[in-house]
Amino acid sequence: MIQPSRLFALGFAAGLLCLPAAILAQENAPKQPQCKDQQECDLYNSVLKDENAQTRLQKLQQWEKSYPATDFAKPRRNLLITTYVAVGQPKEAVAVAKQSLTDDPQDFNALYYTMLLTRALYGANQQPAILDDGEKASKALIARLDSPPEGVAADQWAKLRPDIELLSHQTLGFVGMQRKNWDDAASELKKALAVNPNKGEVDYMLGFAMASKKDNSTALFYYARAAAYEDGGLSAQQRQGIQAEVQKMYTLHHGGADGFNELLALAKSQPNPPDGFHIQSKGEIAKVKAEEEQKKQEEFVKSNPQLALWKNMKEQLTGAGGASYFDSGVKGSQVPTLRGKVVKLEPELRPKTVILSIEDGTTADATLKFEMPLAGKVDAGTELSFEGVPESYTASPFMIVFNVEKENLHGWTGKNAPPAHKPAAKK
């Protein structure tokens, strides 16, 4: 019986796209199939010789039309699949692959291309069935990774296996992302990186999946690795674009660009984030600051209760409802002891009005009024304390006027007071 040239079959397989030659060679070496006639053998050999994908496709289609039933159905389908891939027709390639899988669910070539073309097909036509087919093929490939395909030597398969494994997990990660099953997507993409951690595209996909899981710190790490790792398979232009994108994400999350360069350096140096890795969000930073301020305020109140009381009064009185607050809760009620420094006396000797600075020691903000003049005077800057009853206030400039009894003023020394008047002696 007539047979096509085995030499041409193997030689053509070595030039096919995507699938390794060692795998395709065994697909194109069927067990003693026979041509119907010399014309079929000539057509088959013509296909194998043709290195132009367009004309090769025409010959394959002619072969199908002239010999719909043939002993070479499986190798012809393999040739159709790879040729459709070569001419940019993934839909047609997968359609032929599905025919092969109907006859043999474990057809390695058909499984491989169904898996490999899932992303391209789904990008053009977002049909759930495409994801189903890609998932099924990827899982079937992973399930048989421990055994080389028929006709492939163990040492050859050891070299080919990592790429098949990585692509299968990456495809399953893609399927999970399209279904918005972020846990499954992240799990599969991590498995892909476990096979080869230096894949920028997988890093970027994992960053998206982790961001969708609201794990922003981990997402930013993998985005940064996709941008920073130079040998990850992405071009310099792609990495530059990703870096600009991730910097915006980082700034939005963190509230500023501080620490971004350190993130890039860390991501470039190792494939996965270290244990406990975390990038504070601007909300977390604000919370920490608020807690620190609260602690400082509590410590301030504890160490200086008088000044804390004064600042609280000032905050309330200078706010929108200051007048109402003063009339309802401050005016006419004696306040606890306050302390301040003398700014001015009116008059300078035996004053009835003492102007103090309570908050900063220099800016007048409290006026003490007495019914009777005080003895002598004190120097500016002298520290006094008092208990007084607020009479009035102004918000700007801030000033509270107190009525104070002499016995409620503490620290008055009364320098230059005239000597006490002695009654005249009786004659």
Side-chain angles (χ1 to χ4, degrees), residues 326-367:
F326 183 81
D327 290 339
S328 62
V330 178
K331 185 177 182 179
S333 300
Q334 182 165 298
V335 299
T337 302
L338 294 171
R339 185 183 306 276
K341 292 184 178 181
V342 174
V343 175
K344 185 179 180 182
L345 304 176
E346 294 179 350
E348 289 188 10
L349 188 64
R350 303 188 68 230
K352 294 181 67 177
T353 300
V354 177
I355 301 173
L356 300 180
S357 173
I358 293 179
E359 184 167 351
D360 62 16
T362 57
T363 304
D365 50 17
T367 298

mmCIF file of all heavy atoms in Angstrom, residues 326-367:
data_model
loop_
_atom_site.group_PDB
_atom_site.id
_atom_site.type_symbol
_atom_site.label_atom_id
_atom_site.label_comp_id
_atom_site.label_asym_id
_atom_site.label_seq_id
_atom_site.Cartn_x
_atom_site.Cartn_y
_atom_site.Cartn_z
ATOM 1 N N PHE A 326 -21.434 79.684 76.034
ATOM 2 C CA PHE A 326 -21.054 80.584 77.116
ATOM 3 C C PHE A 326 -22.255 80.900 78.007
ATOM 4 O O PHE A 326 -22.167 80.829 79.236
ATOM 5 C CB PHE A 326 -20.474 81.878 76.555
ATOM 6 C CG PHE A 326 -19.998 82.833 77.607
ATOM 7 C CD1 PHE A 326 -18.759 82.669 78.211
ATOM 8 C CD2 PHE A 326 -20.799 83.902 78.019
ATOM 9 C CE1 PHE A 326 -18.324 83.544 79.197
ATOM 10 C CE2 PHE A 326 -20.364 84.780 79.005
ATOM 11 C CZ PHE A 326 -19.123 84.598 79.590
ATOM 12 N N ASP A 327 -23.373 81.255 77.370
ATOM 13 C CA ASP A 327 -24.554 81.660 78.145
ATOM 14 C C ASP A 327 -25.130 80.524 78.961
ATOM 15 O O ASP A 327 -25.609 80.734 80.094
ATOM 16 C CB ASP A 327 -25.629 82.200 77.199
ATOM 17 C CG ASP A 327 -25.240 83.541 76.585
ATOM 18 O OD1 ASP A 327 -24.373 84.226 77.161
ATOM 19 O OD2 ASP A 327 -25.784 83.881 75.508
ATOM 20 N N SER A 328 -25.047 79.282 78.419
ATOM 21 C CA SER A 328 -25.700 78.164 79.099
ATOM 22 C C SER A 328 -24.792 77.403 80.062
ATOM 23 O O SER A 328 -25.277 76.799 81.015
ATOM 24 C CB SER A 328 -26.255 77.179 78.065
ATOM 25 O OG SER A 328 -25.203 76.622 77.278
ATOM 26 N N GLY A 329 -23.490 77.460 79.840
ATOM 27 C CA GLY A 329 -22.645 76.604 80.652
ATOM 28 C C GLY A 329 -21.454 77.262 81.306
ATOM 29 O O GLY A 329 -20.766 76.625 82.105
ATOM 30 N N VAL A 330 -21.191 78.539 80.979
ATOM 31 C CA VAL A 330 -19.982 79.168 81.503
ATOM 32 C C VAL A 330 -20.304 80.422 82.318
ATOM 33 O O VAL A 330 -19.828 80.588 83.444
ATOM 34 C CB VAL A 330 -19.017 79.527 80.350
ATOM 35 C CG1 VAL A 330 -17.781 80.234 80.885
ATOM 36 C CG2 VAL A 330 -18.620 78.269 79.573
ATOM 37 N N LYS A 331 -21.089 81.273 81.751
ATOM 38 C CA LYS A 331 -21.368 82.573 82.381
ATOM 39 C C LYS A 331 -21.978 82.394 83.761
ATOM 40 O O LYS A 331 -22.909 81.628 83.972
ATOM 41 C CB LYS A 331 -22.313 83.368 81.485
ATOM 42 C CG LYS A 331 -22.560 84.778 81.988
ATOM 43 C CD LYS A 331 -23.446 85.528 81.004
ATOM 44 C CE LYS A 331 -23.671 86.967 81.477
ATOM 45 N NZ LYS A 331 -24.528 87.714 80.515
ATOM 46 N N GLY A 332 -21.403 83.127 84.735
ATOM 47 C CA GLY A 332 -21.943 83.150 86.081
ATOM 48 C C GLY A 332 -21.566 81.974 86.944
ATOM 49 O O GLY A 332 -21.962 81.908 88.109
ATOM 50 N N SER A 333 -20.801 81.009 86.400
ATOM 51 C CA SER A 333 -20.414 79.830 87.176
ATOM 52 C C SER A 333 -18.914 79.874 87.448
ATOM 53 O O SER A 333 -18.122 80.071 86.534
ATOM 54 C CB SER A 333 -20.745 78.542 86.408
ATOM 55 O OG SER A 333 -22.130 78.457 86.144
ATOM 56 N N GLN A 334 -18.557 79.719 88.692
ATOM 57 C CA GLN A 334 -17.139 79.774 89.020
ATOM 58 C C GLN A 334 -16.407 78.584 88.412
ATOM 59 O O GLN A 334 -16.822 77.440 88.544
ATOM 60 C CB GLN A 334 -16.940 79.795 90.533
ATOM 61 C CG GLN A 334 -15.475 79.911 90.938
ATOM 62 C CD GLN A 334 -15.297 80.304 92.394
ATOM 63 O OE1 GLN A 334 -15.726 81.366 92.790
ATOM 64 N NE2 GLN A 334 -14.661 79.433 93.154
ATOM 65 N N VAL A 335 -15.305 78.877 87.721
ATOM 66 C CA VAL A 335 -14.529 77.817 87.084
ATOM 67 C C VAL A 335 -13.436 77.359 88.041
ATOM 68 O O VAL A 335 -13.045 78.094 88.952
ATOM 69 C CB VAL A 335 -13.905 78.319 85.765
ATOM 70 C CG1 VAL A 335 -14.993 78.737 84.781
ATOM 71 C CG2 VAL A 335 -12.936 79.456 86.015
ATOM 72 N N PRO A 336 -12.941 76.143 87.842
ATOM 73 C CA PRO A 336 -11.839 75.660 88.687
ATOM 74 C C PRO A 336 -10.605 76.548 88.514
ATOM 75 O O PRO A 336 -10.537 77.396 87.631
ATOM 76 C CB PRO A 336 -11.585 74.245 88.152
ATOM 77 C CG PRO A 336 -12.859 73.852 87.479
ATOM 78 C CD PRO A 336 -13.419 75.115 86.909
ATOM 79 N N THR A 337 -9.624 76.323 89.346
ATOM 80 C CA THR A 337 -8.417 77.146 89.354
ATOM 81 C C THR A 337 -7.741 77.164 87.983
ATOM 82 O O THR A 337 -7.536 76.131 87.354
ATOM 83 C CB THR A 337 -7.424 76.625 90.397
ATOM 84 O OG1 THR A 337 -8.055 76.631 91.686
ATOM 85 C CG2 THR A 337 -6.175 77.487 90.437
ATOM 86 N N LEU A 338 -7.400 78.413 87.549
ATOM 87 C CA LEU A 338 -6.651 78.621 86.322
ATOM 88 C C LEU A 338 -5.365 79.355 86.667
ATOM 89 O O LEU A 338 -5.262 80.021 87.701
ATOM 90 C CB LEU A 338 -7.472 79.436 85.319
ATOM 91 C CG LEU A 338 -8.738 78.751 84.768
ATOM 92 C CD1 LEU A 338 -9.574 79.743 83.953
ATOM 93 C CD2 LEU A 338 -8.380 77.541 83.912
ATOM 94 N N ARG A 339 -4.370 79.220 85.783
ATOM 95 C CA ARG A 339 -3.080 79.817 86.034
ATOM 96 C C ARG A 339 -2.621 80.581 84.801
ATOM 97 O O ARG A 339 -2.807 80.140 83.672
ATOM 98 C CB ARG A 339 -2.068 78.728 86.388
ATOM 99 C CG ARG A 339 -0.684 79.231 86.807
ATOM 100 C CD ARG A 339 0.249 78.047 87.057
ATOM 101 N NE ARG A 339 -0.320 77.106 88.002
ATOM 102 C CZ ARG A 339 -0.248 77.234 89.320
ATOM 103 N NH1 ARG A 339 0.397 78.274 89.842
ATOM 104 N NH2 ARG A 339 -0.791 76.333 90.116
ATOM 105 N N GLY A 340 -2.012 81.767 85.014
ATOM 106 C CA GLY A 340 -1.504 82.541 83.899
ATOM 107 C C GLY A 340 -0.423 83.505 84.344
ATOM 108 O O GLY A 340 -0.108 83.621 85.530
ATOM 109 N N LYS A 341 0.150 84.224 83.350
ATOM 110 C CA LYS A 341 1.196 85.199 83.628
ATOM 111 C C LYS A 341 0.678 86.608 83.356
ATOM 112 O O LYS A 341 -0.063 86.840 82.407
ATOM 113 C CB LYS A 341 2.421 84.913 82.766
ATOM 114 C CG LYS A 341 3.126 83.608 83.145
ATOM 115 C CD LYS A 341 4.388 83.396 82.331
ATOM 116 C CE LYS A 341 5.109 82.115 82.762
ATOM 117 N NZ LYS A 341 6.358 81.894 82.000
ATOM 118 N N VAL A 342 1.135 87.524 84.210
ATOM 119 C CA VAL A 342 0.668 88.905 84.111
ATOM 120 C C VAL A 342 1.178 89.546 82.821
ATOM 121 O O VAL A 342 2.369 89.485 82.506
ATOM 122 C CB VAL A 342 1.133 89.730 85.329
ATOM 123 C CG1 VAL A 342 0.779 91.199 85.141
ATOM 124 C CG2 VAL A 342 0.514 89.171 86.610
ATOM 125 N N VAL A 343 0.259 90.165 82.091
ATOM 126 C CA VAL A 343 0.602 90.926 80.892
ATOM 127 C C VAL A 343 0.530 92.419 81.184
ATOM 128 O O VAL A 343 1.394 93.199 80.777
ATOM 129 C CB VAL A 343 -0.342 90.560 79.723
ATOM 130 C CG1 VAL A 343 -0.067 91.444 78.507
ATOM 131 C CG2 VAL A 343 -0.212 89.083 79.369
ATOM 132 N N LYS A 344 -0.519 92.789 81.933
ATOM 133 C CA LYS A 344 -0.743 94.232 82.163
ATOM 134 C C LYS A 344 -1.580 94.414 83.417
ATOM 135 O O LYS A 344 -2.418 93.571 83.744
ATOM 136 C CB LYS A 344 -1.462 94.827 80.948
ATOM 137 C CG LYS A 344 -1.647 96.324 80.993
ATOM 138 C CD LYS A 344 -2.352 96.802 79.717
ATOM 139 C CE LYS A 344 -2.548 98.296 79.720
ATOM 140 N NZ LYS A 344 -3.268 98.762 78.502
ATOM 141 N N LEU A 345 -1.331 95.544 84.129
ATOM 142 C CA LEU A 345 -2.132 95.931 85.290
ATOM 143 C C LEU A 345 -2.822 97.253 84.977
ATOM 144 O O LEU A 345 -2.235 98.142 84.365
ATOM 145 C CB LEU A 345 -1.254 96.093 86.531
ATOM 146 C CG LEU A 345 -0.396 94.894 86.951
ATOM 147 C CD1 LEU A 345 0.476 95.287 88.163
ATOM 148 C CD2 LEU A 345 -1.265 93.691 87.287
ATOM 149 N N GLU A 346 -4.053 97.409 85.419
ATOM 150 C CA GLU A 346 -4.774 98.663 85.203
ATOM 151 C C GLU A 346 -5.423 99.075 86.532
ATOM 152 O O GLU A 346 -6.383 98.390 86.972
ATOM 153 C CB GLU A 346 -5.836 98.482 84.124
ATOM 154 C CG GLU A 346 -5.260 98.188 82.743
ATOM 155 C CD GLU A 346 -6.334 97.988 81.691
ATOM 156 O OE1 GLU A 346 -7.535 97.885 82.062
ATOM 157 O OE2 GLU A 346 -6.000 97.898 80.503
ATOM 158 N N PRO A 347 -4.951 100.167 87.131
ATOM 159 C CA PRO A 347 -3.720 100.905 86.817
ATOM 160 C C PRO A 347 -2.509 100.101 87.275
ATOM 161 O O PRO A 347 -2.657 99.047 87.862
ATOM 162 C CB PRO A 347 -3.879 102.194 87.621
ATOM 163 C CG PRO A 347 -4.737 101.787 88.785
ATOM 164 C CD PRO A 347 -5.683 100.742 88.272
ATOM 165 N N GLU A 348 -1.322 100.608 87.009
ATOM 166 C CA GLU A 348 -0.114 99.854 87.318
ATOM 167 C C GLU A 348 0.086 99.655 88.814
ATOM 168 O O GLU A 348 0.672 98.655 89.231
ATOM 169 C CB GLU A 348 1.106 100.545 86.728
ATOM 170 C CG GLU A 348 1.170 100.460 85.208
ATOM 171 C CD GLU A 348 2.491 100.979 84.671
ATOM 172 O OE1 GLU A 348 3.407 101.212 85.489
ATOM 173 O OE2 GLU A 348 2.597 101.128 83.448
ATOM 174 N N LEU A 349 -0.393 100.614 89.601
ATOM 175 C CA LEU A 349 -0.264 100.500 91.061
ATOM 176 C C LEU A 349 -1.652 100.404 91.655
ATOM 177 O O LEU A 349 -2.553 101.151 91.265
ATOM 178 C CB LEU A 349 0.480 101.702 91.625
ATOM 179 C CG LEU A 349 0.861 101.621 93.107
ATOM 180 C CD1 LEU A 349 1.848 100.478 93.348
ATOM 181 C CD2 LEU A 349 1.455 102.949 93.570
ATOM 182 N N ARG A 350 -1.807 99.463 92.540
ATOM 183 C CA ARG A 350 -3.088 99.178 93.160
ATOM 184 C C ARG A 350 -4.178 98.969 92.100
ATOM 185 O O ARG A 350 -5.195 99.650 92.065
ATOM 186 C CB ARG A 350 -3.485 100.285 94.125
ATOM 187 C CG ARG A 350 -2.453 100.536 95.226
ATOM 188 C CD ARG A 350 -2.960 101.502 96.288
ATOM 189 N NE ARG A 350 -4.045 100.923 97.063
ATOM 190 C CZ ARG A 350 -5.215 101.533 97.289
ATOM 191 N NH1 ARG A 350 -5.451 102.743 96.796
ATOM 192 N NH2 ARG A 350 -6.148 100.944 98.021
ATOM 193 N N PRO A 351 -3.949 98.008 91.211
ATOM 194 C CA PRO A 351 -4.893 97.793 90.103
ATOM 195 C C PRO A 351 -6.194 97.153 90.567
ATOM 196 O O PRO A 351 -6.234 96.409 91.549
ATOM 197 C CB PRO A 351 -4.126 96.844 89.182
ATOM 198 C CG PRO A 351 -3.265 96.064 90.125
ATOM 199 C CD PRO A 351 -2.835 97.051 91.185
ATOM 200 N N LYS A 352 -7.254 97.445 89.802
ATOM 201 C CA LYS A 352 -8.527 96.752 89.965
ATOM 202 C C LYS A 352 -8.756 95.774 88.802
ATOM 203 O O LYS A 352 -9.728 95.022 88.816
ATOM 204 C CB LYS A 352 -9.678 97.750 90.036
ATOM 205 C CG LYS A 352 -9.625 98.638 91.274
ATOM 206 C CD LYS A 352 -10.804 99.592 91.311
ATOM 207 C CE LYS A 352 -12.127 98.901 91.519
ATOM 208 N NZ LYS A 352 -13.257 99.834 91.628
ATOM 209 N N THR A 353 -7.849 95.841 87.818
ATOM 210 C CA THR A 353 -7.937 94.937 86.658
ATOM 211 C C THR A 353 -6.557 94.345 86.398
ATOM 212 O O THR A 353 -5.561 95.066 86.325
ATOM 213 C CB THR A 353 -8.415 95.693 85.408
ATOM 214 O OG1 THR A 353 -9.717 96.240 85.664
ATOM 215 C CG2 THR A 353 -8.472 94.760 84.194
ATOM 216 N N VAL A 354 -6.529 93.039 86.278
ATOM 217 C CA VAL A 354 -5.281 92.326 85.964
ATOM 218 C C VAL A 354 -5.516 91.534 84.661
ATOM 219 O O VAL A 354 -6.451 90.734 84.587
ATOM 220 C CB VAL A 354 -4.873 91.378 87.098
ATOM 221 C CG1 VAL A 354 -3.609 90.588 86.708
ATOM 222 C CG2 VAL A 354 -4.663 92.145 88.399
ATOM 223 N N ILE A 355 -4.665 91.772 83.681
ATOM 224 C CA ILE A 355 -4.778 91.062 82.393
ATOM 225 C C ILE A 355 -3.700 89.983 82.346
ATOM 226 O O ILE A 355 -2.515 90.276 82.512
ATOM 227 C CB ILE A 355 -4.647 92.038 81.211
ATOM 228 C CG1 ILE A 355 -5.757 93.104 81.300
ATOM 229 C CG2 ILE A 355 -4.715 91.283 79.873
ATOM 230 C CD1 ILE A 355 -5.629 94.214 80.284
ATOM 231 N N LEU A 356 -4.142 88.745 82.114
ATOM 232 C CA LEU A 356 -3.247 87.592 82.126
ATOM 233 C C LEU A 356 -3.161 86.938 80.742
ATOM 234 O O LEU A 356 -4.039 87.095 79.895
ATOM 235 C CB LEU A 356 -3.734 86.538 83.122
ATOM 236 C CG LEU A 356 -3.861 86.908 84.593
ATOM 237 C CD1 LEU A 356 -4.372 85.705 85.377
ATOM 238 C CD2 LEU A 356 -2.527 87.384 85.147
ATOM 239 N N SER A 357 -2.082 86.155 80.579
ATOM 240 C CA SER A 357 -1.964 85.244 79.450
ATOM 241 C C SER A 357 -1.962 83.829 80.017
ATOM 242 O O SER A 357 -1.019 83.445 80.707
ATOM 243 C CB SER A 357 -0.676 85.488 78.660
ATOM 244 O OG SER A 357 -0.527 84.489 77.676
ATOM 245 N N ILE A 358 -3.015 83.086 79.706
ATOM 246 C CA ILE A 358 -3.130 81.734 80.255
ATOM 247 C C ILE A 358 -2.531 80.696 79.312
ATOM 248 O O ILE A 358 -1.828 79.778 79.731
ATOM 249 C CB ILE A 358 -4.607 81.401 80.555
ATOM 250 C CG1 ILE A 358 -5.108 82.303 81.699
ATOM 251 C CG2 ILE A 358 -4.790 79.924 80.900
ATOM 252 C CD1 ILE A 358 -6.563 82.092 82.067
ATOM 253 N N GLU A 359 -2.753 80.866 78.002
ATOM 254 C CA GLU A 359 -2.373 79.805 77.072
ATOM 255 C C GLU A 359 -0.880 79.756 76.786
ATOM 256 O O GLU A 359 -0.253 78.700 76.880
ATOM 257 C CB GLU A 359 -3.143 79.944 75.759
ATOM 258 C CG GLU A 359 -2.855 78.803 74.786
ATOM 259 C CD GLU A 359 -3.827 78.762 73.629
ATOM 260 O OE1 GLU A 359 -4.825 79.503 73.643
ATOM 261 O OE2 GLU A 359 -3.577 77.977 72.700
ATOM 262 N N ASP A 360 -0.293 80.920 76.409
ATOM 263 C CA ASP A 360 1.115 80.867 75.996
ATOM 264 C C ASP A 360 2.045 81.755 76.803
ATOM 265 O O ASP A 360 3.239 81.835 76.540
ATOM 266 C CB ASP A 360 1.244 81.202 74.509
ATOM 267 C CG ASP A 360 0.763 82.614 74.178
ATOM 268 O OD1 ASP A 360 0.616 83.440 75.109
ATOM 269 O OD2 ASP A 360 0.536 82.891 72.984
ATOM 270 N N GLY A 361 1.514 82.458 77.800
ATOM 271 C CA GLY A 361 2.363 83.273 78.657
ATOM 272 C C GLY A 361 2.665 84.660 78.116
ATOM 273 O O GLY A 361 3.300 85.470 78.805
ATOM 274 N N THR A 362 2.231 84.963 76.890
ATOM 275 C CA THR A 362 2.510 86.286 76.314
ATOM 276 C C THR A 362 1.263 86.960 75.751
ATOM 277 O O THR A 362 1.133 88.180 75.805
ATOM 278 C CB THR A 362 3.558 86.183 75.189
ATOM 279 O OG1 THR A 362 3.091 85.276 74.193
ATOM 280 C CG2 THR A 362 4.892 85.697 75.729
ATOM 281 N N THR A 363 0.346 86.189 75.175
ATOM 282 C CA THR A 363 -0.847 86.748 74.529
ATOM 283 C C THR A 363 -1.975 86.888 75.542
ATOM 284 O O THR A 363 -2.385 85.893 76.166
ATOM 285 C CB THR A 363 -1.316 85.855 73.366
ATOM 286 O OG1 THR A 363 -0.242 85.672 72.449
ATOM 287 C CG2 THR A 363 -2.490 86.478 72.642
ATOM 288 N N ALA A 364 -2.478 88.110 75.725
ATOM 289 C CA ALA A 364 -3.546 88.350 76.696
ATOM 290 C C ALA A 364 -4.803 87.587 76.296
ATOM 291 O O ALA A 364 -5.262 87.694 75.158
ATOM 292 C CB ALA A 364 -3.828 89.844 76.790
ATOM 293 N N ASP A 365 -5.365 86.832 77.236
ATOM 294 C CA ASP A 365 -6.601 86.111 76.931
ATOM 295 C C ASP A 365 -7.533 85.998 78.132
ATOM 296 O O ASP A 365 -8.606 85.399 78.030
ATOM 297 C CB ASP A 365 -6.306 84.723 76.359
ATOM 298 C CG ASP A 365 -5.316 83.924 77.198
ATOM 299 O OD1 ASP A 365 -5.116 84.298 78.372
ATOM 300 O OD2 ASP A 365 -4.758 82.933 76.688
ATOM 301 N N ALA A 366 -7.169 86.613 79.287
ATOM 302 C CA ALA A 366 -8.039 86.588 80.462
ATOM 303 C C ALA A 366 -7.939 87.925 81.192
ATOM 304 O O ALA A 366 -6.833 88.433 81.415
ATOM 305 C CB ALA A 366 -7.667 85.442 81.394
ATOM 306 N N THR A 367 -9.071 88.475 81.535
ATOM 307 C CA THR A 367 -9.122 89.738 82.292
ATOM 308 C C THR A 367 -9.773 89.477 83.641
ATOM 309 O O THR A 367 -10.902 88.970 83.706
ATOM 310 C CB THR A 367 -9.922 90.803 81.525
ATOM 311 O OG1 THR A 367 -9.265 91.069 80.278
ATOM 312 C CG2 THR A 367 -10.021 92.088 82.335
#
